[in-house]
Amino acid sequence: MLSAVAFFFVMTSYYIVRPVRDQLSGAVGSPSLPLFYGVVFAVMLLFTPAFGLLVARYPRRQLLGWSYSFFILSLLAFVPAFMAQDRIGARQLGVAFFVWVSVFNLFVVSLFWSFMADIFSSLRARKVFSLIALGGMAGAIFGPLITKFLVVWIGVAPLLVVSAVALGLALVILLTISAQHDRQPGSHGDEAVGGSLWAGVRELWTRPFLRYMALLMLFGDGIGTLAYALVADYAKAHIVGNVARTSFYNDLDLYTNLLGALLQLTLTPWLLIRRGAGWGLVLASLVNVALLAGVAWVGGGGVVLFGYGVSVLAVMIVTTRGFAYGMTKPAVDSLYTRVPRETRYKGKNFVETAVWRLGDVLVTSGVNGLHAFGLGVAGLAVVGTGVAAIATVVARRAGWSADLAPETPQQVTKAKHIDE
């Protein structure tokens, strides 16, 4: 319960600043996204060894405290910049804030789930991770709701202060959980993970499961970033003003997270407990295949849902993100409980930071190149369908990778007998 509440505040904090970031990308359109993502990737390459050094040398509580405190102070430092957004310009401020929020999202959320994988067993994780993720999804719904209310009342800049307060509350709860867990027999919370600061990079080449995770991250990111780039062009063409764009992206986040919460309350826990975490990866990939094939068939027009006309692109991004957050993410984090501790922190962090942002650079550059050759929404969706089909194959291999630890005591005994 404490973990779910902590994740609620983490995601509330993130989803307050997310539409603030997205309104900047919506102001400049997809041609500027390769620049944004390129800078993010370069920063990730610098942060990855620094994070590996912290993980190797410092215990869990210090790692949590220093990392979260850094992002809280950074949020407050951006407040004056947003008060002067019209003078600075959306492109200049957009590069800086886009980079920072992307780093914030990846490191803060990835560190949270590394911590969860450290304190829960594999079997327990399959039962509770979807519930913990549901707490985060509640925050991901509450964040857009409070943003929708506050942005027209206090403006954009003060939202960062609200986000900093939410992240501070998450930090207090996480430190409490860590202190409680450290008092239990067999806990490693007061020990540094140790090893090399480059272990995350090295394990990518030596551990099959991590390679599958990297490939799945690239393919899944390709689908998500493709949808994001198309929506950025839509926002630039149809929505005027930073408040209106913030509200538009906020609505996308709200409906995405409602879908994710529905999945976590219904299908995801049943699938993970009854069928295993691997099926959570495979089913979400199959949904992406069907969705993108549908967009390729109908193009980028509008559809009527519940009596309202909405863009097909909005439906696409909401559905792909909803399954990514509501099904794929709990499944992935459950699988990470079955790898060594160093892999949970360093390898997982490298895949979910540097590899992810490399995918962003490649996809956004590719989208601009395909635009130059005249491909529209339907043509890009055809390409996305092929990528989603490949991702399904990789998901199948990742969920049943041979180097994952057995899940049950009976399987552990059997594995030891085979080794002997």
Side-chain angles (χ1 to χ4, degrees):
M1 290 179 63
L2 281 176
S3 298
V5 173
F7 200 36
F8 169 85
F9 284 117
V10 167
M11 298 305 283
T12 295
S13 175
Y14 172 60
Y15 273 94
I16 289 173
V17 298
R18 180 185 173 109
V20 177
R21 177 202 70 178
D22 290 343
Q23 62 92 8
L24 293 169
S25 62
V28 297
S30 65
S32 294
L33 290 182
L35 171 64
F36 286 12
Y37 285 127
V39 178
V40 171
F41 177 58
V43 172
M44 290 298 181
L45 292 180
L46 296 175
F47 265 74
T48 297
F51 183 79
L53 181 64
L54 291 175
V55 171
R57 295 189 178 182
Y58 296 100
R60 185 171 59 209
R61 272 182 291 176
Q62 287 182 307
L63 183 65
L64 285 168
W66 292 349
S67 299
Y68 277 53
S69 296
F70 167 77
F71 287 105
I72 291 169
L73 294 175
S74 300
L75 268 169
L76 299 177
F78 268 108
V79 173
F82 273 91
M83 294 179 69
Q85 175 176 338
D86 292 338
R87 295 198 304 273
I88 297 174
R91 183 181 178 86
Q92 289 73 22
L93 181 58
V95 171
F97 195 67
F98 195 95
V99 169
W100 183 87
V101 173
S102 298
V103 174
F104 167 89
N105 171 32
L106 297 179
F107 276 94
V108 168
V109 176
S110 178
L111 182 56
F112 174 88
W113 283 111
S114 294
F115 175 40
M116 293 296 105
D118 207 19
I119 65 176
F120 287 102
S121 68
S122 176
L123 290 175
R124 185 66 173 160
R126 285 169 55 186
K127 295 179 180 179
V128 303
F129 272 18
S130 60
L131 301 178
I132 294 173
L134 183 61
M137 196 60 68
I141 294 170
F142 180 72
L145 286 175
I146 195 172
T147 300
K148 190 178 184 69
F149 171 73
L150 290 179
V151 71
V152 296
W153 182 41
I154 62 176
V156 173
L159 290 173
L160 306 185
V161 178
V162 181
S163 177
V165 171
L167 190 59
L169 292 172
L171 174 59
V172 171
I173 298 172
L174 289 175
L175 293 177
T176 301
I177 295 171
S178 183
Q180 291 179 354
H181 187 264
D182 291 349
R183 291 193 291 267
Q184 298 178 5
S187 170
H188 301 287
D190 58 348
E191 302 173 6
V193 173
S196 166
L197 73 163
W198 295 104
V201 182
R202 185 183 65 248
E203 288 209 342
L204 186 63
W205 307 109
T206 60
R207 185 171 291 279
F209 169 72
L210 211 59
R211 289 201 298 272
Y212 293 137
M213 285 292 100
L215 289 172
L216 194 61
M217 179 64 70
L218 288 174
F219 293 136
D221 181 59
I223 297 167
T225 305
L226 171 63
Y228 185 82
L230 293 174
V231 170
D233 287 338
Y234 174 85
K236 182 180 180 182
H238 297 90
I239 304 172
V240 180
N242 61 343
V243 171
R245 285 190 299 270
T246 300
S247 180
F248 169 72
Y249 278 103
N250 184 75
D251 288 343
L252 291 181
D253 289 339
L254 177 60
Y255 291 117
T256 294
N257 296 326
L258 286 172
L259 173 59
L262 179 63
L263 289 170
Q264 289 169 356
L265 283 170
T266 55
L267 183 57
T268 298
W270 177 86
L271 194 64
L272 266 59
I273 295 171
R274 299 290 185 180
R275 301 298 180 184
W279 283 106
L281 305 183
V282 172
L283 181 58
S285 294
L286 289 174
V287 168
N288 285 338
V289 172
L291 178 69
L292 286 162
V295 174
W297 179 264
V298 302
V303 294
V304 177
L305 292 177
F306 306 109
Y308 295 94
V310 296
S311 168
V312 168
L313 299 178
V315 175
M316 177 176 67
I317 198 169
V318 165
T319 306
T320 55
R321 284 179 174 178
F323 271 85
Y325 302 158
M327 182 173 293
T328 303
K329 184 61 176 168
V332 166
D333 292 317
S334 296
L335 290 173
Y336 271 109
T337 63
R338 298 166 59 189
V339 298
R341 195 169 182 232
E342 189 172 30
T343 306
R344 293 174 198 162
Y345 282 95
K346 299 178 185 178
K348 183 177 187 292
N349 179 265
F350 181 73
V351 169
E352 295 184 353
T353 56
V355 173
W356 189 347
R357 289 319 180 195
L358 172 63
D360 289 336
V361 175
L362 296 176
V363 174
T364 51
S365 299
V367 168
N368 284 349
L370 293 173
H371 273 316
F373 281 102
L375 260 71
V377 173
L380 291 172
V382 170
V383 175
T385 303
V387 172
I390 298 174
T392 304
V393 177
V394 176
R396 175 65 180 83
R397 292 180 176 271
W400 289 267
S401 182
D403 59 324
L404 288 172
E407 289 190 292
T408 67
Q410 292 81 3
Q411 288 175 313
V412 172
T413 303
K414 182 178 180 181
K416 287 183 178 178
H417 177 71
I418 292 172
D419 289 340
E420 292 170 356

